Amino acid sequence: MAGKITNIEKLQDVILKDGRTDDIVIPVMGLTKAGKSTFINRLLSDTTLNTRVEVGVRLVSCTASVYPVVVSEVPLKCRQLREILQGRRIILVDTPGFDDTYTGNGRILIRLSQWLEKSYRRGKLIGGIIYIHNISNDSFPHSALKNLDIFTKLCGEKAMNLVRLVTTKWERLDTVRQGEDRLSELQESFWKPLIEDGALTHQVRPENGPHFHYPPPTLSSTDSITFEDPWGIITNILTFTDERDRKIQIQDELVSQRRFLIETEAGQSVGSSLNNTLKELKKEKRRGQESAAICPAEDLYKHRDNIKRLTEQIDLLQPTLSQRTMRLVKKLGF
């Protein structure tokens, strides 16, 4: 795993250092297993590019790091998009969800914020942000709420007009109506603040599969659900790109406002969540120690390991001594 991450980090550096200032960055975010990598691969499959993103079939995440993909070719069918781009490249950024099995929210935020900060400093502006949601999920668990909260604070209210809330995996439902009901609930509750601030919703055209129970994907507008090709969604995102403020909140906080990561809204959200979880784990560990006669030793070891991992993540979010010193020097005017 360490070697794989190193290779990805090398790829990130190459794209950032050798990229063009007019590259258009589109992060693809969402929960683990929502279909982020699949969405990117469906775009790439319509090109002659050999790049593909790993897609997992297990319950654990395959995307453990920020994985940028350069799209230098647009299908001939996307005439409008080709006119918009005028030869510019798209950088699709596959990201781990803030519910990753092994990585942890602290490390994920650090990796994502570092890439977004570096890309912004090198002149690469955000063309849009895609938030993928698996419509076949019949609930909206705490992890999904936390993921959405962090996403909202990464983007900020002013950048919500860059956001596209994209539902996937409609082919796993029994009926379109089932998906309509779930989408209505999302739009009227969980997604309502984002939509009010300018975010738009899209539905990815289902892929044919063994559980495909739909009428043809070209549904009429009276059906209330219109499925779109992934390239159609990209075209919609980029139609008004040059007329928007093309940075998101965390980039402004880190670069323009010169905040430390823990001082950003997303950093505070993740830090607060980690600290609360750490307190609960310490309580559980104390209860286990007090009833050691009935608490298995392996449970105590597990609590200890989890506490260690959380403490490491909390520490990583804090600014280093050199960062603190540099801020002090600039403040004093040396």
Side-chain angles (χ1 to χ4, degrees), residues 17-241:
K17 291 177 181 177
D18 299 338
R20 307 171 188 170
T21 55
D22 62 353
D23 284 337
I24 299 174
V25 176
I26 302 179
V28 182
M29 305 179 68
L31 284 172
T32 300
K33 310 301 292 180
K36 300 185 295 291
S37 300
T38 299
F39 179 86
I40 293 174
N41 282 340
R42 286 185 66 180
L43 291 167
L44 295 171
S45 67
D46 285 335
T47 72
T48 59
L49 301 172
N50 293 322
T51 309
R52 292 293 183 275
V53 177
E54 182 181 2
V55 177
V57 294
R58 299 172 296 159
L59 294 177
V60 298
S61 170
C62 272
T63 307
S65 191
V66 178
Y67 191 93
V69 178
V70 177
V71 182
S72 55
E73 174 190 322
V74 175
L76 292 174
K77 65 179 181 180
C78 303
R79 189 173 301 174
Q80 181 184 352
L81 181 58
R82 293 167 72 89
E83 291 176 359
I84 292 169
L85 291 174
Q86 292 293 308
R88 289 178 291 179
R89 307 185 309 176
I90 298 172
I91 310 294
L92 297 171
V93 187
D94 195 9
T95 64
F98 284 99
D99 62 332
D100 187 81
T101 316
Y102 298 121
T103 311
N105 287 353
R107 287 189 173 86
I108 291 170
L109 179 62
I110 290 167
R111 291 173 184 176
L112 181 57
S113 64
Q114 285 177 342
W115 197 91
L116 289 170
E117 179 185 357
K118 288 178 182 177
S119 65
Y120 183 60
R121 287 187 185 278
R122 286 170 168 79
K124 298 182 189 300
L125 300 180
I126 300 290
I129 309 103
I130 295 174
Y131 187 87
I132 300 287
H133 177 82
N134 178 0
I135 197 68
S136 70
N137 286 340
D138 59 0
S139 63
F140 207 84
H142 176 73
S143 60
L145 283 170
K146 192 62 196 173
N147 193 297
L148 190 61
D149 177 66
I150 298 170
F151 172 78
T152 302
K153 288 172 179 173
L154 276 168
C155 297
E157 180 181 324
K158 292 180 180 179
M160 267 313 141
N161 62 347
L162 295 171
V163 172
R164 296 296 182 269
L165 304 167
V166 177
T167 58
T168 59
K169 304 190 179 183
W170 286 75
E171 65 272 13
R172 295 189 178 187
L173 300 175
D174 292 327
T175 63
V176 173
R177 182 53 188 266
Q178 188 179 18
E180 286 178 331
D181 292 341
R182 292 179 184 177
L183 181 60
S184 294
E185 183 181 4
L186 289 168
Q187 292 172 328
E188 294 168 9
S189 55
F190 304 111
W191 290 354
K192 187 176 180 179
L194 286 73
I195 293 171
E196 288 177 345
D197 287 333
L200 299 178
T201 60
H202 296 269
Q203 284 59 250
V204 176
R205 178 173 295 157
E207 293 184 285
N208 291 323
H211 305 294
F212 194 81
H213 302 296
Y214 300 106
T218 52
L219 300 175
S220 66
S221 58
T222 56
D223 292 306
S224 79
I225 294 293
T226 301
F227 294 120
E228 298 177 76
D229 179 88
W231 278 110
I233 295 173
I234 296 295
T235 301
N236 178 279
I237 290 173
L238 297 183
T239 297
F240 303 105
T241 287

